[in-house]
Amino acid sequence: MAEVTKAKWALITGGSRGIGRAIALELARKHGLNIVLNYASNKEAAETTAAELKTIGVDVFLAPFDVKDPEAVKAGIEAWRSAHPEARLEVLVNNAGITRDNLLVFMEPADWHEVINTHLNGFFNVTTSVLQGLVRQRYGRIINVVSLSGTKGVPGQTNYSAAKAGIIGATRSLAQEVAKRNITVNAVAPGFITSDMTKDLDEAQLKQLVPMARFGTPEEVAGIVGFLASAEAAYITGEVIHVNGGMHS
Ligand code: NAP
């Protein structure tokens, strides 16, 4: 493991479970980063992940807030800053997410708005809450977890595809806005990954669509996030990296 650097932190939204949990563990192990672990409501999962992180030797700040709510986001980040005035946030991973799948013809407005608000407005709320600090310190890594759905499109997911495609556009624009400040902005686009989000899918049937004939693991997504967060990835920005077992179309 890398040496734990007392002042350096990463904020991971949706870090309690699944892909976010794996990313938190990867950043702690590989980069020795202390972790601001955001989640929505699953305190038990967040505390379990926090305990795992602490065994690695990093500090953890549990930050329950709804990424859809700009005031809650500001308050959550402020609470962490007050508790750790010396902290320097170096990495932001926008990972929190939900699905509310339905064919558009049957989709309720609430399901459209909930998904757009969580992903796209969540990206805006969290990123703008930390961006000035990254610009001032002239260093940062922003990594957005998007989806194959946002590039290929998936029937039954117009809300989710639109939200993820929106974040991909924002990734490319923001990358150009902050490049001179040594801040990289990239996206990672998983295909089918085993997590609570996909637990009700028919894996036996769907894996036949994947050239590698299996779902991926959260750790396989976390690995590339860990690389994008590293010093070695300094010249990669505005990129979308697919982690999908070859299922590009
Ligand atoms: P997951 O296991 O369902 O975990 C979702 C995480 O997001 C949880 O930590 C949850 O917190 C948090 N969350 C949900 N809504 C939130 C909100 N409004 N505010 C703050 N946190 C919120 O999902 P996952 O599979 O790990 O997915 C993680 C990311 O990967 C998502 O952006 C998803 O769209 C993307 N992705 C997943 C797959 C896949 O196949 N699994 C594929 C492509 C992309 P609580 O624990 O408190 O509920």
Side-chain angles (χ1 to χ4, degrees), residues 47 53-54 80 99 139 213:
E47 283 175 349
L53 286 163
K54 284 177 184 160
W80 162 69
T99 51
Y139 182 84

Side-chain angles (χ1 to χ4, degrees), residues 14-19 38-42 65-68 95-98 118-119 145-147 160 164 190-193 195-198:
S16 50
R17 297 183 280 130
I19 293 171
N38 160 255
Y39 63 103
S41 58
N42 194 335
F65 57 75
D66 181 347
V67 295
K68 298 192 296 297
N95 164 81
I98 56 162
T118 302
H119 292 273
V145 180
V146 293
S147 172
Y160 184 78
K164 294 300 200 186
F192 288 120
I193 305 297
S195 77
D196 289 344
M197 185 175 273
T198 51

